[in-house]
Amino acid sequence: MTRVEKTDLRREAGQRTRDGLQAAALELLAQRGQEGVTLREITDRAGANVAAVSYHFGSLKALCESAIEHALEQYLDAQMAALDSLSPTATLHEVAAAFAGPMMRAFVAGGQDLAVMRTVARVGIEPPQGWERLTAKFDKSRRDALRVLKPNVPGVDEEELIFRTRCAAGMLNWLALAPIGAELATMSAEQLERQLVPVVAGAFRGDAAGPPAARP
Amino acid sequence: MTRVEKTDLRREAGQRTRDGLQAAALELLAQRGQEGVTLREITDRAGANVAAVSYHFGSLKALCESAIEHALEQYLDAQMAALDSLSPTATLHEVAAAFAGPMMRAFVAGGQDLAVMRTVARVGIEPPQGWERLTAKFDKSRRDALRVLKPNVPGVDEEELIFRTRCAAGMLNWLALAPIGAELATMSAEQLERQLVPVVAGAFRGDAAGPPAARP
DNA sequence: AATGAACTCAAGCAACTGCTTGAGTACAAG
DNA sequence: CTTGTACTCAAGCAGTTGCTTGAGTTCATT
């Protein structure tokens, strides 16, 4: 019953082209944004012909949206996994560490992982068309963050906590896009965590008086 | 001795064209960035001919750099003025309010002021050529921030404080660029300050234990 | 009125954009 | 071997890009 694996070299080659185009598009999107991406540059980088884009994706825009959606999904999954793994009694520091975790890991890993983060960050500034399809996942990620955040930041109403979450996420996105990101990408995971997590935690907590752990 | 004012309508018209082009370029730069700006769109918006750009500025790139430099200078002056007006005994909240002041005022004012902020934020992601000329002013602004920040965040070394300053500035820039900026632009100055300043102050202070005002 | 500088304008150029086309290749199925 | 499908390729098209050009117009100076 040894089922012979269907090789079909043509389809394999097609898949390789598709993946190469998507990877090249992701990289270009990460470093130049949607406006700065050109068809020829993608195909040159992927070693493919310009017609391959139309053939496999329909258009340059569709290819970019596909790459963006892929990146967004990857990011949201990582973010949700990090928040879901938190215990309900997690400290603010732990919440902040989980919140910034995917970004920090991307800085350490570099390469494609970092390109994913940069692309996601760019999307946060210029939302593309296919955005709506991932709204549900996005909402869940926000609810997760609120759930673990609330007990750690008492006396601040929900609307304000949402705002702080968006501020913190925006800060991380900024770090990924700005030149400072290049510096962060050279740091060790420990250095990164030691510098970054307190700032995120502080942004969550605000400047309310009193020690952070002073709740009954 | 009534010195007759030199009208010279030709030079006046030229100056008006120059200003119009610079304003149009600023607006386009604010909403689309350097890659998304086209010659025709600027000249259409300014009611000028395409040749006017080459005549007055030499090239589209030169026009953009001129507009960017103008915006950067305006921003840095406002930031330095806000920090310089602080007393040496200012609280962390006051420091944060001064730090975020120019951005908040731009949100309230809208229009050209907000375009300046958005352009500055974009430059933070994609630094242009003429950047180096303003490095001195930038350094002074950073030193000002550190001076008033240090006494309010004891036990954190200078390098880390610089990092937090960059994080806070990045967060503000992000707010200016991302869709959330549109929401902030509809808020009152009081609302804005009540929501934003605590987050900035918190990012400065980090999650160190102990009440923020507990210094002798 | 004549001169010349400051400025504007329509037209057009080369380079680049995304995309299409028709021919050609590689390979599984019959 | 023949057929049909999946895929790649060079060439080229219409539209847009930044920029230049040479002929204007406007206006202070003389």
Side-chain angles (χ1 to χ4, degrees), chain B residues 14-53:
Chain B
Q15 188 60 46
R16 228 177 304 127
T17 301
R18 247 187 308 275
D19 292 346
L21 287 173
Q22 212 155 357
L26 177 71
E27 232 167 298
L28 266 300
L29 283 170
Q31 61 183 247
R32 288 213 259 289
Q34 291 174 259
E35 299 278 355
V37 164
T38 72
L39 185 60
R40 263 101 177 160
E41 202 167 5
I42 290 180
T43 54
D44 284 355
R45 191 180 279 238
N49 189 272
V50 287
V53 171

Side-chain angles (χ1 to χ4, degrees), chain A residues 151-175:
Chain A
N152 279 292
V153 190
V156 176
D157 66 40
E158 183 156 315
E159 193 192 356
E160 212 147 341
L161 270 188
I162 292 177
F163 177 74
R164 293 187 186 183
T165 305
R166 295 170 82 180
C167 283
M171 193 185 75
L172 293 176
N173 285 339
W174 176 269
L175 295 180

Side-chain angles (χ1 to χ4, degrees), chain A residues 10-11 13-14 17 40 49-51 55-56:
Chain A
R10 294 170 307 172
R11 286 174 190 273
T17 301
R40 263 102 176 161
N49 189 273
V50 287
Y55 180 79
H56 288 291

